[in-house]
């Protein structure tokens, strides 16, 4: 089975992902984009060579992170929402503008 992959330099990747170049560096530094999987380095004898990124795998990593983050968000059921809405407020906590 052959898969087509789009390999991009950092500026093109940032544009395709609708983020900044700085965000790509952050994702890489936090190991969301992993060397050898999401990107490879070119150049010899440099401390930090040019990185070439796989668009599809980087997008997949961001989608998985987004899904994971959304599962940990606080949610309320209808009973809890009604309880919050009908909660009586203390008069001293209310402010009035005229």
């Amino acid at each position: 089975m052959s898969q087509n992959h789009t390999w991009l330099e950092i500026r093109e990747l940032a544009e395709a992902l609708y983020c900044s170049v700085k965000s790509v560096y952050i994702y890489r530094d936090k190991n969301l984009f992993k060397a050898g999987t999401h990107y490879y380095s070119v150049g010899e004898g440099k401390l930090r060579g040019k990185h070439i990124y796989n668009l599809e795998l980087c997008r997949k990593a961001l989608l998985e992170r987004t899904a994971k983050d959304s599962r940990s968000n606080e949610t309320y059921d209808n009973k809890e929402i009604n309880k919050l809405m009908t909660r009586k407020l203390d008069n001293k906590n209310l402010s009035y503008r005229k």
Side-chain angles (χ1 to χ4, degrees):
M1 179 186 317
S2 175
Q3 290 184 342
N4 292 329
H5 293 284
T6 306
W7 294 93
L8 303 169
E9 292 185 27
I10 193 166
R11 292 193 193 297
E12 292 84 15
L13 177 74
E15 186 176 318
L17 295 176
Y18 301 100
C19 69
S20 67
V21 170
K22 183 176 180 178
S23 292
V24 175
Y25 284 122
I26 291 169
Y27 301 147
R28 190 185 68 207
D29 292 344
K30 289 187 174 189
N31 212 27
L32 181 63
F33 296 165
K34 297 176 176 70
T37 301
H38 298 93
Y39 69 91
Y40 64 88
S41 299
V42 294
E44 203 169 318
K46 295 180 182 178
L47 182 60
R48 294 182 81 130
K50 180 187 282 190
H51 295 108
I52 308 298
Y53 296 85
N54 181 302
L55 173 61
E56 292 78 15
L57 292 178
C58 289
R59 185 175 286 137
K60 181 179 178 191
L62 290 172
L63 288 168
E64 288 170 354
R65 183 198 64 168
T66 302
K68 180 182 172 191
D69 289 349
S70 70
R71 284 192 297 267
S72 64
N73 288 340
E74 189 174 352
T75 59
Y76 295 95
D77 62 11
N78 285 336
K79 180 180 176 183
E80 194 65 28
I81 291 170
N82 287 332
K83 187 182 191 182
L84 289 169
M85 288 174 37
T86 58
R87 182 174 58 191
K88 293 182 180 177
L89 296 175
D90 210 7
N91 280 338
K92 63 183 174 185
N93 291 331
L94 298 176
S95 63
Y96 297 96
R97 285 188 176 180
K98 290 187 178 186

